[in-house]
Amino acid sequence: MGAQKSIHAGKAKIDINVDLTHKLCQALLVPPAFRHSSDVLSQVVGSLCVKHPNLFGKSEKLDVLWDKGLYDSNIVIAFRKPRPEWLAQKSFVIQHSVSPEIGVHGFPVDNFSRSGSGGVNLCRFSAGLDLSEPSSSNWSSTTSIKFEHVRPLSDDGRSITRDVDGFPVTCSGSPHDSMVVLKQESNYAVASEDSFSQVNFQIEQGIPLVSKWLIFNKFKFVASKGMKVGPAFLLASLTGGSIVGDMAPYQAFAIGGLNSVRGYGEGAVGSGRSCFVVNSELTVPMAKGLEGAFFMDCGTDLCSGHHVPGNPALRKGKPGSGFGVGYGLRFNSRIGQFRIDYAINAFQQKTVYFGIGNITS
């Protein structure tokens, strides 16, 4: 259930999307609400997008995006100036978000198939500059530098410095962490009719402009390979990463969930300074627009959970490694791809996932 509307105001375009379906899905799949509110608007899920292609008459582009969920919200403002094709595209970006932090501070329930609220929510503010280099051959890269301010909140919106067990939830020990982060992201992609390969590298460096700001280096990579095997299509991917230096618990790699190891709740496998996740999926055509899928996921924190400040993984009883297997259906239609997955984790707990995604042409 929902409504969509596009409005043209001069040269600007406004897209409005209000969705009530997500409320039902959350009630079925998520444990008791992170916040209790009698406000009717708090139960509305949707997005608002405003795009202006010529803000000051010189082809400057302004994008404003607001996404609202039942328990989270995200606002992004991006401003881009025109530039020659051989120069990097500069974007000034401001972002503010509030979301429950269940990947690290949440606790596993129902034999690790779901994750409950740990009473920690993150309010993030960032502002900075993105430089997107012109693509050369199969490579593309983006460099960004931004200021970040992270403030943990309780479920009722109060600033907190410790979790329910009395351990610090920030690196500084104060009600907030501040940092300047320099990030380099490179992406390699090549595709043919029968296969594709893609590799993504991300490196983040915390710069100590002020003595109390975080100093760290964080590395992450994602490598994917897809190929036809007769009429079927096999997709495999590897994800890994590590962080050294200063670290707040919320910066840990959360393992488990729909986009990690299916069959587990978000972060229910583990949360550590390092991670390694393997995903594989075989899809087989069954009828026009309908495919069957068989998958296997596994992941580990590489025994690094105890290196996270406060060791939240141990306190929440996370195993540190796990695997999930299952099968599902994919139905492609004009409005998107409908997905359903049935997963079983290492503790024999069964989980069903539903999803709707856009089809890219």
Side-chain angles (χ1 to χ4, degrees), residues 28-318:
L28 294 175
L29 298 177
V30 178
F34 300 104
R35 293 187 187 88
H36 301 281
S37 175
S38 59
D39 185 4
V40 176
L41 292 179
S42 68
Q43 302 302 307
V44 176
V45 175
S47 62
L48 173 65
C49 181
V50 180
K51 295 179 178 289
H52 200 297
N54 192 19
L55 187 62
F56 299 119
K58 295 183 179 180
S59 299
E60 301 93 342
K61 296 181 179 180
L62 175 68
D63 295 339
V64 180
L65 175 64
W66 175 46
D67 284 315
K68 182 186 178 302
L70 285 179
Y71 315 114
D72 59 349
S73 65
N74 183 42
I75 300 175
V76 180
I77 302 174
F79 175 75
R80 297 187 297 275
K81 289 184 176 182
R83 48 85 182 174
E85 293 183 358
W86 61 87
L87 293 180
Q89 173 68 67
K90 298 179 182 179
S91 300
F92 299 91
V93 182
I94 299 175
Q95 183 173 6
H96 180 273
S97 65
V98 179
S99 61
E101 210 310 283
I102 62 175
V104 174
H105 293 98
F107 57 91
V109 295
D110 292 344
N111 279 336
F112 301 89
S113 67
R114 295 189 297 161
S115 291
S117 170
V120 178
N121 305 269
L122 296 182
C123 177
R124 294 176 179 266
F125 171 81
S126 65
L129 174 66
D130 290 346
L131 298 175
S132 299
E133 299 292 338
S135 299
S136 58
S137 183
N138 299 316
W139 285 94
S140 62
S141 64
T142 300
T143 303
S144 64
I145 184 168
K146 60 182 178 180
F147 167 78
E148 290 190 29
H149 180 88
V150 183
R151 184 164 59 98
L153 305 174
S154 64
D155 286 343
D156 57 7
R158 296 180 294 106
S159 293
I160 57 175
T161 59
R162 296 181 179 275
D163 61 18
V164 294
D165 297 322
F167 288 85
V169 290
T170 60
C171 179
S172 61
S174 67
H176 61 82
D177 283 333
S178 297
M179 63 199 88
V180 169
V181 181
L182 177 64
K183 180 178 179 179
Q184 174 68 43
E185 181 173 357
S186 300
N187 190 73
Y188 172 83
V190 59
S192 64
E193 293 183 359
D194 298 329
S195 65
F196 78 90
S197 300
Q198 185 172 355
V199 181
N200 179 272
F201 297 96
Q202 300 177 26
I203 299 177
E204 297 182 28
Q205 177 66 55
I207 303 176
L209 297 183
V210 177
S211 59
K212 294 184 178 180
W213 288 7
L214 274 62
I215 310 172
F216 62 91
N217 182 273
K218 186 175 185 178
F219 169 75
K220 181 180 178 180
F221 75 90
V222 180
S224 303
K225 176 68 176 181
M227 66 180 68
K228 279 190 174 182
V229 182
F233 192 82
L234 177 63
L235 174 64
S237 66
L238 303 176
T239 302
S242 186
I243 180 172
V244 296
D246 294 338
M247 180 186 185
Y250 56 78
Q251 292 179 299
F253 293 95
I255 308 164
L258 179 59
N259 298 313
S260 179
V261 181
R262 283 166 284 190
Y264 292 82
E266 184 179 351
V269 173
S271 47
R273 274 187 177 262
S274 303
C275 74
F276 188 74
V277 177
V278 180
N279 305 103
S280 60
E281 181 170 299
L282 181 70
T283 55
V284 181
M286 301 175 61
K288 184 178 180 180
L290 182 64
E291 297 175 329
F294 303 90
F295 60 84
M296 181 174 66
D297 304 329
C298 58
T300 174
D301 64 4
L302 300 175
C303 300
S304 65
H306 64 283
H307 293 300
V308 177
N311 200 349
L314 177 64
R315 289 187 285 116
K316 305 300 182 181
K318 299 179 182 181

